[in-house]
Amino acid sequence: MAFTGNEAEEFPLETASEWTRNYRTANPGAKIAHFFGRNIIQRILDQRDCVGIRVYYALDNGEKQLIMVGVDAKENDLYEGIIAERSYGCPPYCGQSNPLNS
């Protein structure tokens, strides 16, 4: 399979709310989300041959992290390019309560 940049789809809020609630229930007190700023995401997407982003799960001294890297149409990570890390975790950076975080 080759990636085209059209992978994934929009997701209904009701299902997203249910799935995130399931996670919060199964993992009380754990990080529930990570925030990456627009600029680093855009820099990844602007790399030559990039058709999307892959997100890796990671641990930094036992704390959950996400690592983002660009991906080309052949499903290869653009690991010699820009790699994003050090997202802002939720909690504490969660914003107002909404169906996805409370």
Side-chain angles (χ1 to χ4, degrees):
M1 177 178 119
F3 288 153
T4 64
N6 294 312
E7 292 73 23
E9 56 192 56
E10 290 187 34
F11 201 55
L13 176 59
E14 296 79 21
T15 306
S17 177
E18 177 186 345
W19 288 16
T20 57
R21 184 175 51 255
N22 291 346
Y23 179 84
R24 291 190 310 276
T25 300
N27 299 278
K31 293 276 186 232
I32 61 170
H34 293 261
F35 172 82
F36 288 90
R38 175 188 186 105
N39 291 337
I40 193 70
I41 293 169
Q42 192 63 58
R43 286 179 58 207
I44 291 172
L45 291 172
D46 286 345
Q47 294 176 106
R48 189 173 59 144
D49 298 325
C50 185
V51 298
I53 292 175
R54 180 171 285 131
V55 179
Y56 283 95
Y57 302 111
L59 289 175
D60 178 21
N61 293 317
E63 186 174 336
K64 289 182 183 178
Q65 291 290 340
L66 297 177
I67 306 297
M68 281 196 310
V69 63
V71 178
D72 68 17
K74 295 179 183 176
E75 304 176 26
N76 297 312
D77 292 338
L78 300 173
Y79 60 87
E80 292 181 350
I82 297 166
I83 298 175
E85 52 88 28
R86 299 285 180 222
S87 59
Y88 286 72
C90 168
Y93 304 99
C94 296
Q96 295 179 340
S97 294
N98 66 65
L100 299 176
N101 69 13
S102 54

